[in-house]
Amino acid sequence: MLQNVKGTKDILPGQISKWQYIEDVIRKETAKFGYVEYRTPIFEKTEVFSRSIGENTDIVNKEMYTFADKGGDSVTLRPEMTAALVRSVLQHNLHSLTPTQRYWYFGPFFRYERPQKGRLRQFHQFGAECISSPNPESDYEIILLADYVSKALGINDYTLKLNSLGNIASREKYREALIRYFSSVRSSLSADSQNRLEINPLRVLDSKAPEDIEAAKGSPNILDFLDTESRDHFELVIKLLKQSGIEPEICPRLVRGLDYYSHTVFEFQSSALGAQDSFGGGGRYNELFQEFGGKPNPAVGFAMGVERMLIILDALDKYPGLSDLPDVYVVSGNTNLLPYINRVVNILRNKGLRTLSDLQRKSMKSQFREANKAGVKFVVVVGVEEFENEKVQIKNMAGGEQIEIGISELAEYDF
Ligand code: HAM
């Protein structure tokens, strides 16, 4: 029998109410901040991602689903949203219409990674981007939005890891210092890191290879290389967060796996996740609009892994009473009554009740059994006598009591 592709998952009907619940929370919380939803295509021209995320990152080097389409053009299933969104905002000139643009998104993303708990090849992200403000207030707003969503879902005890990569000048100085340091311990680094050391030493800091992690322990601290502008920016972000009751953990070696960041970078971690402990991450990307050929335009954003949020919520058992069970089953053992049955069913549906009726031409007894199994609260019985008298019987499945009412009263009946 055919199976799904490794690293992908079917979201079965039994799980869908959890997904819808998370989406509902996201819609509510993003609305409180005035963010609006953005949707872009699932695939883009390959260069949308390769240039912006960085040629030396794992995402671009190893993880992209890139293929030539029938016309010979290279296209890529989106591994993340930020680059695609910047492409789209520039294309439609949205950044020139309002002073600040606030967007959120939810959808599938694709990375060819080794699947494990919380790591998939098709996964889902919820994210938000705040575009056109260079100020720390917007870094703060974006992190606060992630905090609101996390807390609204009941994820209260996460850790916010925070760092600053500074502006271009600070980062250049740090880059040189890193190259000097890692060159001095070159032979102890992984082959990958030895290769990319001169091209992009920040990637060595983000490497998961144990020998690189060990070597990175003695590396210079980026916070020592921040100039006044970068330091002031970072300090105000921290201050605003603390004033809102969010205590960041400052992590000078947090650089993240994408090349487009400057200034603030952050990750949301939860101990409920195990090895893949980040359920969200983001940062500022002041140079990305230029990479796409636009004028300089500062921006900041984050994305959260929905499957990872689900793992945390499952561990915390934080779902409210979610139910997509039907309310009513209309039972009848007589297909000659179908027009009357359907009249009853329509009245109930128009009242907003989730209403089932038999499609298998089963006996009345089996229909009762099915109704019971489906978990309905009420069964409405429609037999010949009811039809002839324009009545229905309503049975409460919990208490067992049964009453008879006229069909004309059904629309107003309080179930
Ligand atoms: P990212 O850290 O690559 O950032 O991904 C964000 C989140 O997506 C991760 O924290 C994780 O929860 C989830 N995620 C990533 N890869 C996988 C996977 N293979 N399986 C399951 N979940 C995964 C970005 O994507 C940036 N675009 C975030 C951003 C927005 N920066 C600025 N704006």
Side-chain angles (χ1 to χ4, degrees), residues 7 53 59 63 79-83 105 109-114 116-130 142 256-258 260-261 266-268 273 276-285 299-309:
I53 297 173
I59 297 181
E63 297 170 3
E80 62 108 44
M81 184 70 170
T82 312
Y105 49 87
F109 295 86
F110 307 86
R111 294 183 194 175
Y112 191 80
E113 294 197 77
R114 200 166 41 77
Q116 63 177 72
K117 187 181 171 201
R119 194 162 71 196
L120 293 148
R121 289 181 174 171
Q122 177 177 329
F123 58 100
H124 295 76
Q125 278 185 351
F126 146 62
E129 313 289 343
C130 179
I142 257 310
R256 307 224 345 102
L258 305 102
Y260 50 60
Y261 291 117
F266 55 90
E267 285 192 353
F268 281 76
L273 279 175
Q276 301 300 318
D277 61 358
S278 284
F279 65 96
R284 178 164 278 287
Y285 48 95
V300 57
F302 72 88
M304 289 182 160
V306 180
E307 284 82 359
R308 294 192 190 171
M309 294 200 272

Side-chain angles (χ1 to χ4, degrees), residues 163-176:
N163 190 21
S164 172
L165 303 180
N167 56 16
I168 299 179
S170 305
R171 221 160 46 249
E172 191 45 45
K173 278 199 200 123
Y174 182 56
R175 211 181 94 91
E176 285 163 16

Side-chain angles (χ1 to χ4, degrees), residues 1 16 22 29 53-54 65 84 98-99 120 137 146 204 213 220 267 313 326 328 340 342 353 366 369 394 401 406:
M1 211 187 297
I16 210 76
I22 291 183
E29 299 307 311
I53 297 173
Y65 279 90
T98 51
L120 293 148
E137 299 86 292
V204 184
I213 293 174
E267 285 192 353
L313 294 190
V328 189
Y340 188 65
N342 289 343
L353 295 172
S366 346
R369 212 177 303 129
I394 300 172
E401 66 272 15

